[in-house]
Amino acid sequence: MAEALDPLYLITDRAVPPAGDLLGALEAALRGGVRLVQFREKDLSPRARWELGGKVMRLAEGSGASVVVNGDPALALALGAAGVHLGKETLPVGVVRGRLGWRGLIGYSAHGGGEAARAFAEGADFVTLSPVFPTRSKAAQGPALGLEGFREQARGLPGPVYALGGVGPGNAAACLEAGAHGVALIGAVLAAPDPAAAAAALREALARSG
């Protein structure tokens, strides 16, 4: 299952698109080649999140993309999503994989190699490791790892690691060269004037490195 993870991992944030049109930006990103989407939007009420998640699922399915739901295994199950993405504030990976018997993908948001290793040991299929580059959204998580720091923290981990934080077309290939399976991002695509072109540029950069 983990072997099929696409190297371009888009995380949603409806506050990012310039026109405030998350679904329009997502539709364009899917046209540009995004095939793995994390549905975030954690601040919505359960009902509103379920309704928006259904629209995201329909867009993704129409493009052959997979959706992973942030933090909520029940919502992921209700939507028929491919997986769930967990972190420090959610149910632990081991509980979701073991006690809940979750059989889909499990991702985990890690901020160091040790934390990532524990997530894999508990049953995660992949992790994001952040922040790699300086970014306002990740400032509270501490200083950026940089490429060498990312390489060191990711070395020896037993599964796919996505570089997250300040990633864009200009440094995506370098992340792969530093040991990343792929890149996870928000603004580089959703904040772009043309999300389709931005996604295509990232896809091209990743292909050149591969």
Side-chain angles (χ1 to χ4, degrees):
M1 183 185 298
E3 289 77 9
L5 285 167
D6 194 89
L8 180 54
Y9 187 25
L10 178 64
I11 302 168
T12 72
D13 185 338
R14 68 190 189 284
V16 168
D21 181 9
L22 172 62
L23 294 175
L26 176 59
E27 184 177 20
L30 292 165
R31 288 200 311 271
V34 167
R35 293 296 177 266
L36 182 61
V37 176
Q38 181 190 137
F39 175 57
R40 202 162 179 266
E41 315 311 321
K42 298 185 293 183
D43 61 311
L44 290 175
S45 69
R47 180 59 180 258
R49 199 175 182 214
W50 176 73
E51 290 175 349
L52 181 57
K55 296 175 182 177
V56 168
M57 286 291 299
R58 287 190 288 276
L59 285 177
E61 288 168 354
S63 299
S66 298
V67 175
V68 174
V69 174
N70 184 290
D72 190 339
L75 179 59
L77 182 63
L79 291 173
V84 63
H85 194 102
L86 306 175
K88 283 184 176 180
E89 303 303 320
T90 70
L91 289 173
V93 172
V95 170
V96 175
R97 181 66 81 197
R99 296 185 188 179
L100 297 185
W102 179 260
R103 296 187 179 183
L105 289 168
I106 294 181
Y108 183 86
S109 295
H111 306 291
E115 185 183 4
R118 288 190 294 275
F120 280 123
E122 291 182 8
D125 295 292
F126 68 97
V127 302
T128 57
L129 186 57
S130 69
V132 180
F133 302 105
T135 172
R136 283 181 296 177
S137 65
K138 300 291 181 184
Q141 296 171 0
L145 295 168
L147 287 171
E148 288 309 310
F150 177 88
R151 187 191 307 273
E152 180 63 28
Q153 295 295 323
R155 182 178 291 122
L157 291 174
V161 182
Y162 285 84
L164 171 63
V167 180
N171 55 28
C175 292
L176 267 60
E177 292 162 6
H181 170 80
V183 296
L185 40 82
I186 301 173
V189 172
L190 295 182
D194 185 344
L202 279 156
R203 172 80 52 202
E204 182 179 355
L206 294 170
R208 284 200 304 268
S209 178

